[in-house]
Amino acid sequence: MASTGQAEPIPLDKGRPPPAPPPPPGTAAIRRHAGTVGLFTMASRLLGLVREWLMAHFVGAGLAGSAFYVAFAIPNFARRLFGEGALTSAFVPVFKGLAENDRMDAARRLARAVATMAWIMLGAAVLLAMLAVSGALAFFPAMPERAAATLGLLRVMLPYAVFICAAAFGMGVLNALGRFAAAAFAPCLLNLVWIGTLLAILFFPDLPLFERVRILSWAILAAGVLQMGFLLWCAARRGVPLVPSREGWGDPSTKLVWRNTATAIVGAGAVQINAFLDQVLALYAAEWAPSAIAYALEVMHRQVLDLLGLPGEEDLDRHGSANVFSKPLTPLNKAQISSQKSTGAKLTPGRLHSLSKAADMRDAVGLDLSSIKCCPECGSSMLQHVGGCVSCPDCGWTRCD
């Protein structure tokens, strides 16, 4: 065929990259769920930071605060080990497998059986622990003040272990069903109740410290009931009412869950026991140590000050509280300070931020002078080791063997 002498038209899209393939199915749902979880997680982190600021202001780092945190660590130990740890990680895959294979009746039967057995075991353990604590307080009235203060608060907060583990179990059911909003929002409830209680204390400036932490202990117990009721109600709305039942205790799926739970406890238990022993040893070393470390770790873990650029040097001592530093203690102000040998050490958010940036908070307890690389008071690395003592020329901090 003869050529006409005219150039062939060039397609308009020639030379352009091919269009991107459509996203795989479910991508939009994943993004939506991730955004929801991220939003509530950020809200919980911010509320937790505000909570710790208020705790540092109204409770401080004395014996009352340390006894509170050590007592609170025991129900948290149960939560991490059973509620959000070994039991939930063993239960969710089995429950989800039954639900995805159109065996929803078997999944509900499994959930009710495992929940009932867990509640009975936890309830019995908590009851025995409460009896033991009450007996110790009654028959050993001359026990050290640190132990008496911790056990008194522990007796109040022990039932929180049952409530929060039930809430965590409901959270696992909701996550397995693909319902993430309620599970992500639930931690905010604890922070809101905690913050509300601390703000209420504002109207009672003369309330003793031990009365403050006792009120906080009851508030945490109420928050556990609120979290449990909210998550169990959400699970029931999704078709899985977690009511006590004796059905399904001998099912193969139930036995599989408990076998996997026992295996997971062996690994997770060592970590949680070590974390709890850290709190106990810190209380033995110094009355202020557990609460100071708890505040610093809270700020360090959340990192909200660095992420949002919030000021860390503000002084919240507006009410003359005897348990709050009147001046922030940071490398910026280089203020001279006295040794922290008193039991009523005081904290502000700026102080917490400085402590959180120390190389190792365990150095603040002073167990090994040779391992101290930076000052636990101001964060300075210019330390002087003379004889059996170590001192900081910037702030005046000194510790000796």
Side-chain angles (χ1 to χ4, degrees):
M1 183 175 180
S3 173
T4 61
Q6 297 180 354
E8 296 182 359
I10 300 176
L12 295 178
D13 59 350
K14 187 174 182 180
R16 297 180 181 178
T27 301
I30 293 175
R31 291 175 179 171
R32 184 173 66 254
H33 293 321
T36 301
V37 173
L39 176 64
F40 284 126
T41 300
M42 178 57 71
S44 176
R45 294 292 183 265
L46 291 173
L47 289 172
L49 184 65
V50 173
R51 180 195 76 197
E52 294 305 319
W53 278 358
L54 293 174
M55 281 290 294
H57 178 67
F58 290 112
V59 177
L63 177 57
S66 294
F68 173 83
Y69 277 107
V70 173
F72 189 46
I74 293 181
N76 265 336
F77 169 80
R79 174 181 64 85
R80 295 190 183 105
L81 190 60
F82 297 102
E84 298 174 359
L87 179 58
T88 301
S89 62
F91 164 77
V92 169
V94 180
F95 176 85
K96 190 175 180 63
L98 293 175
E100 290 180 345
N101 289 323
D102 296 328
R103 300 180 58 190
M104 200 60 205
D105 289 338
R108 294 190 191 95
R109 180 186 176 98
L110 170 68
R112 287 193 292 265
V114 174
T116 302
M117 298 170 74
W119 293 339
I120 291 175
M121 288 187 289
L122 278 172
V126 166
L127 181 60
L128 291 175
M130 291 180 68
L131 292 175
V133 170
S134 299
L137 291 173
F139 292 104
F140 300 98
M143 71 173 58
E145 185 182 8
R146 301 181 190 185
T150 303
L151 291 179
L153 298 176
L154 175 61
R155 182 169 54 182
V156 176
M157 287 192 284
L158 269 173
Y160 178 76
V162 178
F163 301 144
I164 197 58
C165 287
F169 195 83
M171 186 184 302
V173 170
L174 291 171
N175 287 336
L177 296 175
R179 305 295 181 178
F180 304 101
F185 171 73
C188 296
L189 294 175
L190 172 64
N191 288 328
L192 289 172
V193 173
W194 199 324
I195 291 172
T197 305
L198 288 170
L199 292 178
I201 293 176
L202 177 66
F203 298 97
F204 303 94
D206 297 329
L207 195 65
L209 286 178
F210 281 99
E211 288 301 318
R212 296 181 183 186
V213 295
R214 186 173 298 278
I215 292 172
L216 280 173
S217 300
W218 285 105
I220 286 175
L221 201 62
V225 175
L226 184 61
Q227 287 179 287
M228 178 185 69
F230 173 70
L231 288 170
L232 294 186
W233 174 73
C234 291
R237 285 190 63 196
R238 299 302 173 187
V240 187
L242 295 173
V243 296
S245 173
R246 293 190 60 183
E247 296 182 357
W249 287 25
D251 290 353
S253 56
T254 304
K255 295 179 179 180
L256 176 61
V257 168
W258 287 113
R259 282 199 301 270
N260 293 342
T261 300
T263 302
I265 285 176
V266 174
V271 176
Q272 299 305 325
I273 290 174
N274 286 334
F276 173 69
L277 289 179
D278 286 344
Q279 294 273 8
V280 175
L281 291 175
L283 181 62
Y284 175 77
E287 291 181 353
W288 55 266
S291 50
I293 293 174
Y295 295 144
L297 290 179
E298 185 71 18
V299 176
M300 182 180 67
H301 286 167
R302 297 185 185 279
Q303 295 292 324
V304 179
L305 288 177
D306 290 336
L307 289 174
L308 301 183
L310 297 177
E313 309 303 327
E314 295 180 358
D315 182 7
L316 293 186
D317 191 13
R318 297 291 183 265
H319 303 281
S321 171
N323 284 71
V324 185
F325 277 110
S326 59
K327 293 185 179 295
L329 205 55
T330 66
L332 297 178
N333 56 26
K334 307 285 187 180
Q336 293 295 322
I337 61 170
S338 61
S339 178
Q340 248 187 7
K341 294 182 179 179
S342 62
T343 61
K346 313 164 191 174
L347 297 174
T348 61
R351 169 74 168 153
L352 302 181
H353 194 47
S354 299
L355 287 174
S356 69
K357 290 184 177 296
D360 189 352
M361 276 304 304
R362 286 174 298 182
D363 294 340
V365 180
L367 298 179
D368 185 4
L369 297 182
S370 63
S371 66
I372 300 179
K373 304 302 180 184
C374 68
C375 177
E377 298 287 352
C378 68
S380 173
S381 59
M382 304 298 292
L383 299 182
Q384 297 177 351
H385 293 264
V386 179
C389 298
V390 58
S391 62
C392 175
D394 291 334
C395 67
W397 173 85
T398 303
R399 188 172 295 277
C400 300
D401 285 330

Short mmCIF file of all heavy atoms in Angstrom, two decimals, residues 15 25 185 215 355 362:
data_model
loop_
_atom_site.label_atom_id
_atom_site.label_comp_id
_atom_site.label_asym_id
_atom_site.label_seq_id
_atom_site.Cartn_x
_atom_site.Cartn_y
_atom_site.Cartn_z
N GLY A 15 4.08 6.92 25.70
CA GLY A 15 5.20 7.38 26.50
C GLY A 15 4.87 7.64 27.95
O GLY A 15 5.76 7.90 28.74
N PRO A 25 -8.57 -5.43 47.46
CA PRO A 25 -9.80 -5.33 48.25
C PRO A 25 -9.50 -5.21 49.74
O PRO A 25 -8.60 -5.87 50.26
CB PRO A 25 -10.53 -6.64 47.92
CG PRO A 25 -9.94 -7.12 46.64
CD PRO A 25 -8.52 -6.64 46.63
N PHE A 185 -10.76 2.72 72.33
CA PHE A 185 -11.22 3.81 73.18
C PHE A 185 -11.20 3.45 74.66
O PHE A 185 -11.07 4.33 75.53
CB PHE A 185 -12.64 4.23 72.78
CG PHE A 185 -13.29 5.20 73.72
CD1 PHE A 185 -12.87 6.52 73.76
CD2 PHE A 185 -14.30 4.79 74.59
CE1 PHE A 185 -13.46 7.42 74.64
CE2 PHE A 185 -14.89 5.68 75.47
CZ PHE A 185 -14.47 7.00 75.50
N ILE A 215 -8.19 7.56 97.82
CA ILE A 215 -9.31 7.94 96.95
C ILE A 215 -9.01 7.53 95.50
O ILE A 215 -9.88 7.03 94.79
CB ILE A 215 -9.57 9.45 97.06
CG1 ILE A 215 -10.11 9.80 98.45
CG2 ILE A 215 -10.53 9.92 95.98
CD1 ILE A 215 -10.21 11.29 98.70
N LEU A 355 14.50 13.78 84.05
CA LEU A 355 14.78 12.44 84.54
C LEU A 355 14.63 11.41 83.43
O LEU A 355 15.38 10.44 83.35
CB LEU A 355 13.84 12.10 85.69
CG LEU A 355 14.13 12.80 87.02
CD1 LEU A 355 13.03 12.47 88.01
CD2 LEU A 355 15.48 12.42 87.56
N ARG A 362 17.79 3.60 86.60
CA ARG A 362 18.17 2.76 87.73
C ARG A 362 19.34 3.36 88.49
O ARG A 362 19.56 3.07 89.67
CB ARG A 362 18.52 1.36 87.24
CG ARG A 362 17.32 0.55 86.84
CD ARG A 362 17.72 -0.76 86.22
NE ARG A 362 18.48 -0.55 85.00
CZ ARG A 362 18.94 -1.52 84.23
NH1 ARG A 362 18.74 -2.77 84.56
NH2 ARG A 362 19.62 -1.26 83.14
#
